[in-house]
Amino acid sequence: MENTTSQHERRQTVALENKPQSFYRIKPENRSRSDWRSVCFILKEGVGRSSLPSVKLRAIVDAAKEIVNLYSEERGCFDESIFDGPIKSKTLGADDFLPIFIFCFVQARLDRPCALCELLQTMCDPLKLNGETGYYLASFHAAMTHIGEIDLTEDDELSIFLDILPD
């Protein structure tokens, strides 16, 4: 069973690796000029190549924070608290964050993400599951689940996030 799951995960990831940000329904104003490379690097190195579950969990949180940081950096947004006056800044909501995270998850080319997710959920301190770590671990699980459920036989334009297509 695990071998079949791993094979399916790998096929899905390989099929999705070269898809542009638009395929993942990342809104044009939220796309990264760098293709989120720094986020993908954090996931690949911190989650994919480290051996300690605590380091992997920290990398997931760091990758999520890097999405927010890179988004702000590329748009010239800054934290209002460091300035005297109000500054217009736009934050990413969950509906904007998750497609970006899914894109980065695919680009990181993680081995056996299903087994990895199970390991992390088992090894994570239950108290952390209620906080920031738990939120981003749930996002990691949602990304993995979504990737596994994408129907690759459908048209590129219709295979992901069908429920948010414009009328």
Side-chain angles (χ1 to χ4, degrees), residues 60-137:
I60 290 169
V61 173
D62 290 346
K65 288 181 175 183
E66 179 64 9
I67 288 172
V68 174
N69 292 339
L70 185 59
Y71 173 84
S72 295
E73 181 181 301
E74 288 186 350
R75 281 147 195 83
C77 300
F78 299 96
D79 183 0
E80 290 182 26
S81 65
I82 62 172
F83 296 99
D84 290 333
I87 301 233
K88 281 191 169 183
S89 64
K90 181 181 181 297
T91 58
L92 285 172
D95 290 342
D96 295 324
F97 171 81
L98 194 56
I100 296 167
F101 196 72
I102 293 168
F103 173 81
C104 296
F105 187 106
V106 169
Q107 300 307 311
R109 300 177 182 147
L110 300 172
D111 290 329
R112 301 177 65 218
C114 189
L116 177 60
C117 200
E118 187 67 33
L119 168 76
L120 295 177
Q121 288 177 328
T122 301
M123 298 300 290
C124 186
D125 178 355
L127 294 176
K128 286 189 174 185
L129 290 175
N130 291 327
E132 178 180 65
T133 301
Y135 177 79
Y136 291 126
L137 182 56

Side-chain angles (χ1 to χ4, degrees), residues 13-25:
T13 302
V14 167
L16 295 169
E17 283 175 356
N18 295 316
K19 302 287 186 189
Q21 293 179 63
S22 59
F23 174 84
Y24 296 87
R25 297 288 184 218

Side-chain angles (χ1 to χ4, degrees), residues 3-51:
N3 194 26
T4 304
T5 302
S6 294
Q7 289 171 347
H8 176 71
E9 290 171 348
R10 188 70 199 135
R11 273 194 309 276
Q12 292 288 96
T13 302
V14 167
L16 295 169
E17 283 175 356
N18 295 316
K19 302 287 186 189
Q21 293 179 63
S22 59
F23 174 84
Y24 296 87
R25 297 288 184 218
I26 298 172
K27 295 175 186 172
E29 65 270 18
N30 293 339
R31 294 178 192 154
S32 169
R33 293 183 301 268
S34 70
D35 277 338
W36 306 100
R37 276 190 220 104
S38 58
V39 178
C40 301
F41 180 80
I42 292 168
L43 287 172
K44 185 174 190 73
E45 295 298 314
V47 178
R49 294 199 172 145
S50 62
S51 56

